[in-house]
Amino acid sequence: MDSKTNPTFAVEDHEAFMEYALIQARKSPPASNKFCVGAVLVDAACGKVLSTGYSLEYPRDYKGDPGTTHAEQCCFIKIADQHNIPEERIHEVLPANTALYTTMEPCNERLSGNMTCVTRILRLKNTIKTVYVGIKEPGTFIAQNTGQARLEANGVKVVFPVEHWHDSITKVSLAGHET
């Protein structure tokens, strides 16, 4: 999505940003071997959505990364492509007060061997100071995701602003899983 067409919401309207992330998650193709996750990168100072992403938005092994693309990674790819720079340098063009909204806790372990979303966030040199999360990652594929703990240990605040949405976010996340 072109950044010029991305919406702007009221600053700290966590429900609006998370709802927008959930809209992205619904675009992810349902499957029993993955979660449907949506993410939104936001200029927290003015409420402008900078980019969006969802699980499997980009093809497998995209730009040499092994495995499937995660929602957060897709947000970062769009910023990199927009500025024609490698993903690891997007901290050079992101606003100082960038926030990430994601429907599920960023991964800290990947079965595919692909770089984790937590590592991708941390290599942005504190550009992202807060990650707003819909739900913790279920233990379906990784027994215990330590993404929140690793982010917090490295100075990134993790907030669950819409805990009352737990059931609806879980339902979208597990689309394609047998219940």
Side-chain angles (χ1 to χ4, degrees), residues 15-144:
E15 300 225 356
F17 291 116
M18 194 61 72
E19 182 176 4
Y20 202 58
L22 196 54
I23 288 168
Q24 307 315 307
R26 287 187 180 106
K27 296 176 185 178
S28 181
S32 62
N33 64 344
K34 62 170 267 303
F35 297 119
C36 296
V37 178
V40 179
L41 204 57
V42 174
D43 180 343
C46 67
K48 174 81 174 150
V49 172
L50 303 170
S51 68
T52 62
Y54 59 87
S55 309
L56 298 185
E57 183 173 2
Y58 286 94
R60 184 174 191 82
D61 305 328
Y62 187 76
K63 293 192 173 183
D65 275 333
T68 57
T69 52
H70 282 195
E72 301 90 335
Q73 175 186 4
C74 294
C75 282
F76 300 158
I77 287 169
K78 289 176 185 171
I79 297 293
D81 288 353
Q82 179 184 354
H83 293 278
N84 198 27
I85 57 176
E87 182 192 331
E88 62 269 16
R89 289 186 45 212
I90 66 170
H91 66 276
E92 298 171 9
V93 297
L94 287 173
N97 195 15
T98 300
L100 177 66
Y101 286 80
T102 182
T103 57
M104 185 180 290
E105 175 185 16
C107 68
N108 195 39
E109 186 177 340
R110 296 284 303 265
L111 298 177
S112 67
N114 198 339
M115 182 182 293
T116 69
C117 294
V118 169
T119 298
R120 290 176 191 281
I121 292 165
L122 294 177
R123 75 177 175 171
L124 297 180
K125 305 180 188 298
N126 292 321
T127 303
I128 296 175
K129 294 173 181 56
T130 306
V131 177
Y132 296 96
V133 178
I135 61 170
K136 293 196 67 66
E137 180 179 340
T140 309
F141 306 115
I142 304 294
Q144 183 176 2

